Amino acid sequence: MEEQQQNALRKTSTSPFQSKPIRCIVKLGGAAITCKHELETINEKNLDTVSKQLRQVILSCPDSGKVLGMDWSKRPGTSETPSTIDGCCDEFKVDFEKFVVVHGAGSFGHFQASKSGVHKGGLCKSLVKAGFVATRISVTSLNHEIVRALAKEGIPSIGMSPFSCGWLTCERNMEAANVSMIVKALDSGFVPVLHGDAVLDTSQDCTILSGDVIIRYLAEELKPEFVVFLTDVLGVHDRPPTEPGAVLLREIAVDEDGSWSVVKPNVQDASKQVVVTVAAHDTTGGMVTKISEAAMIAKLGIDVYIVKAATEHSRIALSGDLKHNVPDSWLGTIVRPLRQQQ
Amino acid sequence: MEEQQQNALRKTSTSPFQSKPIRCIVKLGGAAITCKHELETINEKNLDTVSKQLRQVILSCPDSGKVLGMDWSKRPGTSETPSTIDGCCDEFKVDFEKFVVVHGAGSFGHFQASKSGVHKGGLCKSLVKAGFVATRISVTSLNHEIVRALAKEGIPSIGMSPFSCGWLTCERNMEAANVSMIVKALDSGFVPVLHGDAVLDTSQDCTILSGDVIIRYLAEELKPEFVVFLTDVLGVHDRPPTEPGAVLLREIAVDEDGSWSVVKPNVQDASKQVVVTVAAHDTTGGMVTKISEAAMIAKLGIDVYIVKAATEHSRIALSGDLKHNVPDSWLGTIVRPLRQQQ
C-alpha cells in the first residue's frame, strides 16, 4: 500500500503536464504536406515550414532559439552518422503546450486504397486484404516522415497509428476508440501524431478511417481550446477558389443544433448559396465534409480555424491568438459556436 | 437486437480464422536481420531469406508459387511506380497459419537508447525525452522495413508498436499489455509484427521493453504451438561459440519450477557448467537472458527452438516439424518442457 502511494507520488512528481488543458488539435491536410499528383511524395518545403511553426507554438521557442533535435537517425541511402546531440542541457521545459497532430494521406495511401477498395470492406477477397496491408505501409511511411520532421525541430513527436491503438469502426462509423494512451502520451510531455488509417470494421471487416473523422472524435474526447485545419487553399470559399470572383468566407457561425451560417462577409442568404456552390465542386468530399466536420466541432464550443498551411496566416491560427483578436489582414475561415458571436 | 445478431453473424461468416489456434510466435533477432556494427543497416539478404521461409510456412505456399505482393509503395529515392498487382485472383486462402512476428532492434535504436539512457527513465531530463523520441523513430523505421519485406512476399503483415498498443511497464516489468488488438488482427487473417520499443513506465517514466520480454508475455497470453528464436548463431553453446571446442546444446529440458538441464549432448552435470560459462561471455544479457526467457516459455508447455536465421535449420524449425521429429542433421537448440522427454 505504502509502495503504491510512493509510486503514485513519484508519478505525480514527474508529470507536471497532467493538469494542463489540451491546447490544440491540428490537422495537417494531405494536400498541404504532400505533392498531390506525385505518388508518395512529400511537400518538403511546406512540411518544414509547418514543423517550424509548430515548434514555435508548442515549445514557445523562437525561430532563432537553440533546439535539441530528436531525430538521430540517418536518412535512407546515406551513411551519415546522426547529427551531434552535444550541448544538450538538462533543464526542464515547463512551457510546453499540449498539441495533438493528425495528418491526412494526400498522395500516400490513396492509390493503394482505391485500387483495392479497402473502404468497401471484404477481407475475404485477396485484393482487399493486400490493399489493406499496402495502404497501411504507405500511410505509416508518411507518418514516419512527419514524426521525423517534427522531431528534427525538437518537438517530442510520437507516431501512433489508429489501427495499433485498437480503434475500430462499425459500418464505417467510429465504434471503439480508446484515447487513454493518447492522454498518457500528452501527460508525459509528448506530441501524439495520428493519421488516417486502414482499420478493422465490425460490420464490413475493414474500412478507411479518415483524418477528419479522427479529429472530430478527438475534439469530443479531449476538448482542446481550438482546432486548426491546415489546407492547401486560403480557407472555405463561396465557389471553387480558382473561379473568378470567388469570395473567402471569413467566419461561419454554428448553432447548437449544428446548423451553420456565414457571418463574414455579410451576404444576405449566403449560407444556402454556399452549400450549393461548394457542393458542386466537391467530388472528393473535400470542402463540404470539412465544413460539416468543422461545424460538429464548433458545436462542442470549440473554435475551428481553416487556413492555408505554411503561411503567416497559419502561424497566427496555431498561436491561438484568433480567439481574442482577428487581425483584418488575417486570411482564413473561422468556424465558431454562434453564442460567441453574440 | 436483431441487427446486432445480424452483425454478429456477418462477423462470424467473414472470420474463418477465429477458431484457429495460434501456430507460432517468431522472434527475428536484431543481430540476425541487421548488420550489428553498421548503424541502422538491415541485413537484406537474411531478411529476404527469412521472409521467404515465413511465406512458406504461413501461406503454405511453395517457393515457386505465384504470390500477391502486398507492398505497393515505391522505394525512397526512386520514382518507380508500384509493381503491377494484376493477375490477382479473388480466391480465399484458408490454409493461412496464425503467426506473430516480434523483432529486436540490432543496429537500430541501440545508439539512441544508450546515448540517452532511456532504459533508466526520467523524462524530465531533456536528453532522455529526446532519446525516447529518437529511439522510437529508429525502431519503428526498422519495423516498417520488416513489414515491407514480409508484405513483398505476400504475407499480410501489420506493424504494431507496443507503445501505440498502450503497453506500459512498472519498474521495467510488464504492467499493462492489452493483446486484444493483436488477437483481432490474427482473427482477421493478418500477421502482427511487433518490436522492442521505448514505452512509458509508471514508476520511472519510461524504459525500453525488449523483444524477448514481449515474446514471453505473448506466449503466456496467446499460447502458441511453438516459439522460434532466429539468431545469428547456431543456437546455445556451452561456451562462446567462437572458442575452440564449443559444443552446441541440442536440447534443454525445463522443469515445472523453471529449472533447466541439458539433455543433449548427454554430459554429466552439464547444466551447471553451462550456466557459468555462458554467463561469462554474456555482457549484454544475450544468451543467458535468452535461455531464461526460453525456459519461462517452455515452463508453459510450449516448445522453443533457438536457431540460426536464414538457414535450412530455421526453415525446419519454422515448419513446426521438430515437435514430432528432430532430424539428426538439424542444428539448433530445443528448449522443451521436461514432461515431453519422458
Side-chain angles (χ1 to χ4, degrees):
Chain A
M1 190 62 195
E2 204 184 349
E3 194 182 48
Q4 272 185 344
Q5 281 175 335
Q6 277 185 347
N7 278 346
L9 266 175
R10 234 179 297 164
K11 200 175 166 183
T12 313
S13 69
T14 52
S15 294
F17 306 114
Q18 223 147 343
S19 58
K20 230 179 165 170
I22 286 150
R23 178 81 169 154
C24 174
I25 300 175
V26 55
K27 165 82 184 285
L28 310 188
I33 47 158
T34 73
C35 303
K36 239 185 198 173
H37 304 293
E38 273 176 77
L39 181 75
E40 298 183 337
T41 305
I42 287 171
N43 186 329
E44 303 277 1
K45 196 162 159 271
N46 267 13
L47 180 56
D48 186 57
T49 307
V50 166
S51 302
K52 285 189 167 60
Q53 290 187 348
L54 282 170
R55 177 187 69 183
Q56 284 178 41
V57 294
I58 293 174
L59 305 179
S60 310
C61 188
D63 221 10
S64 57
K66 197 173 179 181
V67 151
L68 173 57
M70 299 188 178
D71 175 11
W72 304 348
S73 288
K74 61 179 193 179
R75 306 299 316 181
T78 69
S79 58
E80 271 170 51
T81 48
S83 64
T84 171
I85 50 171
D86 297 333
C88 161
C89 50
D90 263 359
E91 74 189 55
F92 186 27
K93 283 199 86 68
V94 284
D95 47 356
F96 165 87
E97 293 286 355
K98 282 183 176 174
F99 270 63
V100 179
V101 173
V102 182
H103 62 85
S107 59
F108 289 73
H110 278 178
F111 161 79
Q112 291 85 352
S114 62
K115 183 92 185 175
S116 55
V118 172
H119 58 289
K120 290 183 276 185
L123 281 175
C124 55
K125 292 179 194 153
S126 298
L127 183 63
V128 174
K129 194 166 171 182
F132 189 97
V133 171
T135 301
R136 293 211 77 243
I137 286 173
S138 188
V139 295
T140 55
S141 82
L142 175 60
N143 182 255
H144 195 253
E145 289 306 315
I146 291 172
V147 167
R148 291 190 71 168
L150 297 171
K152 194 178 134 215
E153 293 299 324
I155 297 169
S157 51
I158 295 282
M160 296 182 77
S161 284
F163 182 98
S164 305
C165 291
W167 291 16
L168 301 172
T169 56
C170 178
E171 289 172 1
R172 303 174 66 175
N173 295 313
M174 196 72 96
E175 185 180 63
N178 188 338
V179 299
S180 66
M181 199 54 208
I182 293 170
V183 171
K184 281 196 188 86
L186 285 162
D187 286 347
S188 300
F190 293 110
V191 174
V193 183
L194 287 85
H195 58 91
D197 202 3
V199 295
L200 299 181
D201 185 287
T202 53
S203 75
Q204 62 171 38
D205 293 354
C206 67
T207 193
I208 298 292
L209 177 63
S210 81
D212 286 343
V213 173
I214 294 172
I215 292 261
R216 171 159 55 87
Y217 186 83
L218 288 181
E220 279 169 17
E221 294 285 320
L222 303 178
K223 300 271 187 304
E225 292 172 17
F226 58 98
V227 169
V228 178
F229 284 89
L230 299 177
T231 70
D232 61 339
V233 290
L234 282 174
V236 182
H237 296 77
D238 65 341
R239 71 202 79 173
T242 48
E243 272 186 23
V247 173
L248 176 67
L249 307 179
R250 302 294 193 97
E251 194 165 332
I252 292 169
V254 180
D255 212 341
E256 277 171 12
D257 64 2
S259 66
W260 53 272
S261 55
V262 178
V263 177
K264 281 184 199 165
N266 192 355
V267 187
Q268 208 187 6
D269 215 21
S271 70
K272 284 198 193 76
Q273 191 195 336
V274 172
V275 176
V276 179
T277 56
V278 173
H281 76 283
D282 197 352
T283 51
T284 58
M287 268 306 164
V288 157
T289 309
K290 203 161 284 325
I291 298 180
S292 308
E293 295 286 343
M296 304 271 265
I297 297 167
K299 223 179 89 179
L300 304 167
I302 299 165
D303 275 18
V304 180
Y305 313 124
I306 304 172
V307 63
K308 187 166 183 168
T311 61
E312 177 60 14
H313 312 296
S314 63
R315 194 195 60 75
I316 292 170
L318 290 168
S319 75
D321 290 347
L322 295 173
K323 191 125 194 166
H324 313 291
N325 173 41
V326 182
D328 286 341
S329 61
W330 187 77
L331 296 178
T333 303
I334 297 180
V335 185
R336 184 173 269 181
L338 183 60
R339 59 186 177 280
Q340 291 190 6
Q341 266 89 30
Q342 291 162 343
Chain B
M1 189 62 194
E2 203 183 350
E3 196 182 48
Q4 272 186 343
Q5 281 174 334
Q6 278 183 347
N7 278 346
L9 266 175
R10 234 178 296 164
K11 199 177 166 184
T12 313
S13 69
T14 54
S15 292
F17 306 114
Q18 223 146 344
S19 57
K20 230 178 165 168
I22 287 149
R23 177 82 168 152
C24 174
I25 300 175
V26 54
K27 165 82 185 286
L28 311 188
I33 47 158
T34 73
C35 303
K36 241 185 196 172
H37 304 293
E38 274 176 77
L39 181 74
E40 298 183 338
T41 304
I42 287 170
N43 185 329
E44 303 278 0
K45 195 161 160 272
N46 266 13
L47 179 57
D48 185 60
T49 306
V50 165
S51 302
K52 285 189 165 62
Q53 290 187 348
L54 281 170
R55 177 185 72 184
Q56 285 179 40
V57 293
I58 293 174
L59 305 179
S60 309
C61 189
D63 220 10
S64 56
K66 197 173 178 180
V67 152
L68 173 57
M70 298 188 179
D71 176 11
W72 304 347
S73 288
K74 61 178 195 179
R75 304 300 315 182
T78 68
S79 57
E80 271 170 51
T81 47
S83 63
T84 173
I85 51 170
D86 298 333
C88 161
C89 51
D90 262 357
E91 76 189 54
F92 187 27
K93 283 199 86 67
V94 284
D95 48 355
F96 165 86
E97 293 287 354
K98 281 184 176 174
F99 270 63
V100 178
V101 174
V102 182
H103 63 82
S107 60
F108 289 73
H110 277 177
F111 162 77
Q112 291 85 353
S114 61
K115 183 92 183 175
S116 56
V118 173
H119 60 288
K120 290 183 275 183
L123 281 174
C124 55
K125 292 180 194 153
S126 298
L127 184 63
V128 174
K129 195 166 171 183
F132 189 97
V133 170
T135 302
R136 292 210 77 243
I137 286 173
S138 189
V139 294
T140 55
S141 81
L142 174 61
N143 181 255
H144 196 253
E145 290 306 316
I146 291 173
V147 166
R148 290 189 72 167
L150 296 172
K152 194 178 135 216
E153 293 298 324
I155 297 168
S157 51
I158 295 281
M160 295 181 77
S161 283
F163 182 98
S164 306
C165 291
W167 290 17
L168 301 172
T169 55
C170 177
E171 291 173 358
R172 304 172 67 176
N173 295 313
M174 196 73 97
E175 185 180 64
N178 187 337
V179 298
S180 66
M181 199 55 207
I182 293 170
V183 171
K184 282 195 186 85
L186 284 162
D187 287 346
S188 299
F190 293 110
V191 175
V193 183
L194 287 86
H195 59 89
D197 202 3
V199 295
L200 299 181
D201 184 287
T202 53
S203 75
Q204 62 171 38
D205 293 353
C206 67
T207 194
I208 299 291
L209 177 62
S210 80
D212 286 343
V213 173
I214 295 172
I215 292 259
R216 171 159 55 88
Y217 186 83
L218 287 181
E220 278 170 17
E221 293 286 318
L222 303 178
K223 301 271 186 305
E225 292 173 18
F226 58 99
V227 169
V228 177
F229 284 88
L230 299 177
T231 71
D232 61 339
V233 288
L234 283 174
V236 181
H237 295 75
D238 66 340
R239 71 200 81 175
T242 48
E243 270 186 24
V247 174
L248 176 67
L249 308 178
R250 303 295 193 96
E251 195 165 331
I252 292 169
V254 179
D255 212 340
E256 276 172 14
D257 65 1
S259 65
W260 52 273
S261 54
V262 178
V263 177
K264 279 183 200 167
N266 193 355
V267 186
Q268 208 188 5
D269 214 21
S271 69
K272 284 198 193 77
Q273 191 196 337
V274 172
V275 176
V276 179
T277 57
V278 173
H281 76 284
D282 196 353
T283 52
T284 60
M287 268 306 164
V288 157
T289 308
K290 204 163 283 326
I291 299 180
S292 307
E293 294 288 342
M296 304 270 264
I297 297 167
K299 222 179 90 179
L300 304 167
I302 299 165
D303 274 18
V304 180
Y305 312 124
I306 303 172
V307 63
K308 185 165 185 170
T311 60
E312 176 62 11
H313 311 296
S314 62
R315 193 194 61 74
I316 291 171
L318 290 167
S319 74
D321 291 346
L322 294 173
K323 191 125 194 165
H324 312 291
N325 173 39
V326 182
D328 286 341
S329 62
W330 187 77
L331 296 178
T333 303
I334 298 181
V335 185
R336 182 174 271 180
L338 182 62
R339 60 185 177 282
Q340 290 190 8
Q341 265 90 29
Q342 291 164 342

